[in-house]
Amino acid sequence: MNQNKLFQQTRLRLALWYALVMALILSLCGFGIYRAISHAHWMTLDRELESVAGTLHDTIELKLQKPGQLEPVIQQLLPNICVVGQSCIQEQSISKRHILSAINQSNYYVRFFNNSGSLIAIAGTYPDELPIVFNKELWQTLKDSKGNSYHQISFVLHTQENLDWGYIQVGRSLADFNSYLTAVKLTLAVGLPIVMGLVGFASWWLAGLAMQPIYRSYKQVQQFTADAAHELRTPLAATQATVESALMMPQLDETEARDILQTLHRQNQRLTTLVTDLLLLTRLDRQSVPMQRDICCLDDIINDLIEEFAALAIAAGVTLTSCVRLSTPLNVIGNVDQLYRLFSNLIINAIQYTPLKGKVTVCLDRSEHYAVIQVQDTGIGIPQQDLTRIFDRFYRVNSDRSRSTGGSGLGLAIAQAIILAHHGSIDVQSEFGKGTTFTIKLPFDVRPLDSVRSIYPFKMLYHRSH
């Protein structure tokens, strides 16, 4: 396949399309994964910030007495709080409270505003570059002058008499959040090309696997076309030579004219047989075409064929016998004409390739689910290297001998096609110089013989077309 330019180009296009589709799918999946991770972490951050701010709000609100005025107890809750207008010295907190631990370790900051929106105090890790303009929105995401991002939440504070005290605003830096998302994006950006490289390699390999059956079919069609043309050329060439020789004769007597017509008749019969066999193979290959099926008695078919080919066997000096190992008739569901053709092809081959004083035996038996038919001969046998190819169309184990007997190399191909159409199987065992055994297995029908004979005649004469 690698030496065929057409298949190479097709394989390349198939691999490219597969890789492009996979790239689009992986890109969409990567974007979706990034968005899902970002959303999940953002929601976690919101819940964490809301929990810290809510705990601070509930704790501080219980201590407030006058609007806009911080009580000293709040400085105990937030030791590093700095009131606007006073000089503040940052002190290391020794509190073990979860709130202060979260504020100190997670870059949190706390801001207090009065009812007019003026900043009263700040606590925690407060960024100097963050604007202090108060906004009453519940959630805000801000950026300082250096481009650093912060996320914050605001709550209204009330005094113990339920008067509006002002606002508490709790926020935190998004530096660690953005760093994590940057790492995710970097992983996806680096991983996607690597994955696409692997996908491209896999695409090329899978495209090659997908093209193999098509390529084999293509080669079979090529071989079939060449063989069919070769087989058709021989009788056509013989016919052409006969006609040309007749035209070169100044005059023809009755005997010469009859000889020429007989030659043309033989070549025409050969062409007709070949075309008929090719049409039969075509119909068998088209599995969508329905096939007429009846209940067929294999005992009758085999007895008919033994009787029909007895004269051919005697002329070849071969003993033809049958061996039925059943006490009751064995029926199968199938096409009677095709079954006659199947067994006749095998019997004729066995007779033709069995030497003088040889023996051909047709045996009928059954297994649990199948009718088993064996065609055994003591002929010349088939070499082991040819056993895998004997069912190929136009293939001959011995080309010269096949041509001398008039065969076209389609008999076994037709037999195999008929067996496959009947959902059966065929197996061949051969020893070169000692003989060959063909074993056919067909699904059988076990209805009574009376019901079979109502639609299947006891005797049917099979007229071969060649």
Side-chain angles (χ1 to χ4, degrees), residues 301-340:
I301 294 176
I302 290 176
N303 290 333
D304 288 348
L305 292 176
I306 294 295
E307 180 181 342
E308 180 178 352
F309 293 121
L312 178 64
I314 294 173
V318 175
T319 302
L320 177 62
T321 59
S322 63
C323 174
V324 179
R325 302 179 180 131
L326 301 171
S327 58
T328 57
L330 186 59
N331 308 317
V332 296
I333 297 178
N335 184 283
V336 63
D337 293 331
Q338 291 185 8
L339 291 179
Y340 266 97

Side-chain angles (χ1 to χ4, degrees), residues 292-301 329-340 343 422 443-445 449 452 455-457 460:
Q292 181 180 355
R293 296 178 183 270
D294 295 319
I295 301 177
C296 309
C297 180
L298 292 180
D299 302 67
D300 294 343
I301 294 176
L330 186 59
N331 308 317
V332 296
I333 297 178
N335 184 283
V336 63
D337 293 331
Q338 291 185 8
L339 291 179
Y340 266 97
F343 298 125
H422 285 75
F444 60 81
D445 184 77
L449 185 60
V452 175
I455 61 173
Y456 177 78
M460 289 191 64

Side-chain angles (χ1 to χ4, degrees), residues 31-298:
F31 178 75
I33 291 172
Y34 173 79
R35 294 293 299 173
I37 292 175
S38 174
H39 178 73
H41 278 73
W42 189 261
M43 295 299 295
T44 302
L45 183 111
D46 279 354
R47 286 195 296 268
E48 179 185 328
L49 185 58
E50 187 174 14
S51 175
V52 172
T55 304
L56 277 172
H57 172 271
D58 295 342
T59 303
I60 293 173
E61 195 173 49
L62 297 175
K63 313 297 181 181
L64 299 177
Q65 297 180 0
K66 296 181 179 180
Q69 181 178 338
L70 289 172
E71 304 300 328
V73 70
I74 297 178
Q75 295 182 354
Q76 297 176 5
L77 293 173
L78 300 172
N80 60 349
I81 191 171
C82 179
V83 179
V84 176
Q86 299 179 2
S87 58
C88 302
I89 300 176
Q90 295 292 334
E91 298 179 358
Q92 182 67 28
S93 174
I94 59 174
S95 174
K96 301 298 183 181
R97 291 180 179 272
H98 173 71
I99 302 171
L100 298 182
S101 177
I103 292 176
N104 293 332
Q105 296 178 11
S106 302
N107 298 322
Y108 277 86
Y109 62 87
V110 182
R111 298 195 292 188
F112 294 93
F113 295 86
N114 58 22
N115 289 322
S116 61
S118 300
L119 182 63
I120 298 175
I122 58 176
T125 308
Y126 179 74
D128 297 334
E129 296 83 2
L130 194 66
I132 60 174
V133 178
F134 178 72
N135 193 313
K136 292 185 179 182
E137 293 182 10
L138 179 63
W139 291 99
Q140 286 182 282
T141 301
L142 308 174
K143 284 189 177 182
D144 61 15
S145 59
K146 295 181 179 180
N148 299 317
S149 299
Y150 298 87
H151 194 51
Q152 63 184 26
I153 186 172
S154 301
F155 289 117
V156 178
L157 287 172
H158 300 87
T159 64
Q160 295 176 354
E161 287 78 19
N162 202 27
L163 299 175
D164 290 342
W165 182 91
Y167 302 91
I168 182 175
Q169 198 173 71
V170 181
R172 60 160 294 172
S173 171
L174 297 179
D176 54 346
F177 175 75
N178 291 332
S179 298
Y180 179 80
L181 292 184
T182 301
V184 173
K185 286 190 287 187
L186 182 61
T187 302
L188 293 175
V190 174
L192 186 60
I194 296 176
V195 172
M196 285 312 305
L198 296 175
V199 168
F201 177 78
S203 300
W204 178 259
W205 179 65
L206 291 174
L209 290 181
M211 295 294 293
Q212 284 294 336
I214 302 174
Y215 183 71
R216 285 196 294 267
S217 299
Y218 171 75
K219 294 296 290 183
Q220 289 175 355
V221 170
Q222 275 192 326
Q223 185 66 38
F224 176 78
T225 303
D227 292 339
H230 180 74
E231 293 295 332
L232 290 171
R233 184 179 61 183
T234 301
L236 289 175
T239 302
Q240 181 69 19
T242 302
V243 172
E244 289 178 353
S245 63
L247 292 175
M248 292 176 62
M249 296 180 181
Q251 59 181 4
L252 296 174
D253 57 26
E254 183 178 351
T255 303
E256 292 174 334
R258 183 173 295 276
D259 291 340
I260 291 173
L261 290 175
Q262 287 178 347
T263 301
L264 293 176
H265 178 67
R266 286 195 303 272
Q267 298 303 327
N268 182 68
Q269 280 189 324
R270 184 174 179 181
L271 283 173
T272 301
T273 300
L274 181 59
V275 171
T276 301
D277 289 345
L278 291 175
L279 289 175
L280 176 59
L281 280 172
T282 302
R283 288 197 300 269
L284 292 173
D285 287 340
R286 295 171 59 191
Q287 298 179 359
S288 59
V289 178
M291 179 177 64
Q292 181 180 355
R293 296 178 183 270
D294 295 319
I295 301 177
C296 309
C297 180
L298 292 180

